[in-house]
Amino acid sequence: MLEMIDVRSGYGRSEVIHGVSIEVPTDGVAAVMGHNGAGKTTLLRAAVGLLKTTSGAVRFDGEDITRLRPSARVARGLAYVPQGQQSFGQLTTAENLQVVADGRPNGKALIDEQLDLFPALKELLTRRAGLLSGGQRQQLAIARALITGPKCLILDEPTEGIQPSVVAEIEAAITALTRRGDLGVLLVEQHIGFALEAAQTYYILESGRLTASGAGGVDSAADVRAAMAI
């Protein structure tokens, strides 16, 4: 699915990611964890092409996409949901979904599919996105990304500042999606319990370097905490 091989990236002359290699399964979740400033978001931005890699390679479905623009990567099946529960605040929930669905032959069906995945949004279709709670906006952001029909969904801190009940709903949605067998998820997350519950494999970054990795699952929590010294 998605592979990052010995990737180096950063901002200007400042290298933030130092030779990191990770792999996202075709039908599962790879979680990237680490403290604030570890380089997690930088890694995701390099994966989707918002930052250039100074060396190494990014491969997707066997194709080298290292030099492709973000739009070309999206066209091949990458979708990115950044931090911050981003949406068009002045538009309604329905309009936010429709903006993405417009021009797609099965747009209505795609919207209905996401409303089934996040049923709480069904009651909020006429409400402006700027008036939604943080958890509701996050569900909307993920739903908008899924309307594009990605093969790999990249999520940056999807549970940040969200109430536990919505965290459980997002985890259930991710699990349901990956069980279909046609979606991989690259997840950056500080909520260790959520990350390990969802993930088949995990990676830990420290100061832009990969310091540990292993199989996901709640049984790995002690190893992750030890690796992160928390």
Side-chain angles (χ1 to χ4, degrees):
M1 173 61 77
L2 178 66
E3 298 175 88
M4 303 184 76
I5 306 165
D6 198 24
V7 166
R8 294 177 180 271
S9 185
Y11 303 88
R13 296 183 179 180
S14 177
E15 185 174 275
V16 177
I17 298 298
H18 312 289
V20 171
S21 297
I22 66 170
E23 184 173 353
V24 181
T26 300
D27 56 353
V29 180
V32 178
M33 293 175 282
H35 297 293
N36 288 335
K40 304 184 300 296
T41 294
T42 301
L43 184 70
L44 297 193
R45 288 172 61 84
V48 79
L50 295 172
L51 287 176
K52 292 183 178 179
T53 58
T54 54
S55 68
V58 181
R59 299 184 64 82
F60 187 57
D61 271 355
E63 177 188 3
D64 190 333
I65 62 170
T66 310
R67 304 304 171 201
L68 294 185
R69 295 176 180 272
S71 58
R73 301 188 193 201
V74 169
R76 280 161 172 77
L78 284 180
Y80 177 46
V81 181
Q83 282 179 286
Q85 303 121 27
Q86 296 184 12
S87 61
F88 298 110
Q90 297 303 311
L91 300 182
T92 66
T93 296
E95 289 168 340
N96 267 271
L97 297 172
Q98 192 63 52
V99 163
V100 185
D102 279 347
R104 298 179 182 275
N106 56 341
K108 184 181 184 305
L110 289 169
I111 290 176
D112 289 343
E113 184 178 334
Q114 306 323 314
L115 293 177
D116 288 340
L117 190 64
F118 297 109
L121 296 179
K122 292 181 180 180
E123 307 300 321
L124 303 167
L125 291 175
T126 60
R127 187 175 299 180
R128 284 194 302 172
L131 300 178
L132 301 180
S133 70
Q136 291 163 348
R137 287 197 305 274
Q138 187 62 278
Q139 290 180 72
L140 177 57
I142 297 172
R144 291 175 66 238
L146 289 170
I147 288 174
T148 67
K151 297 177 182 178
C152 182
L153 179 64
I154 299 176
L155 300 173
D156 193 354
E157 301 279 10
T159 69
E160 183 181 36
I162 293 177
Q163 59 268 39
S165 61
V166 179
V167 170
E169 291 173 8
I170 291 175
E171 181 182 342
I174 291 172
T175 300
L177 288 167
T178 55
R179 279 179 178 169
R180 297 187 316 194
D182 58 356
L183 180 73
V185 176
L186 176 56
L187 169 70
V188 156
E189 184 56 62
Q190 296 221 41
H191 190 310
I192 292 175
F194 169 81
L196 292 177
E197 185 74 31
Q200 282 68 52
T201 185
Y202 71 83
Y203 300 91
I204 296 176
L205 288 185
E206 183 177 340
S207 299
R209 291 180 169 84
L210 185 64
T211 57
S213 63
V218 293
D219 292 343
S220 300
D223 292 336
V224 169
R225 293 184 184 279
M228 295 176 63
I230 58 174

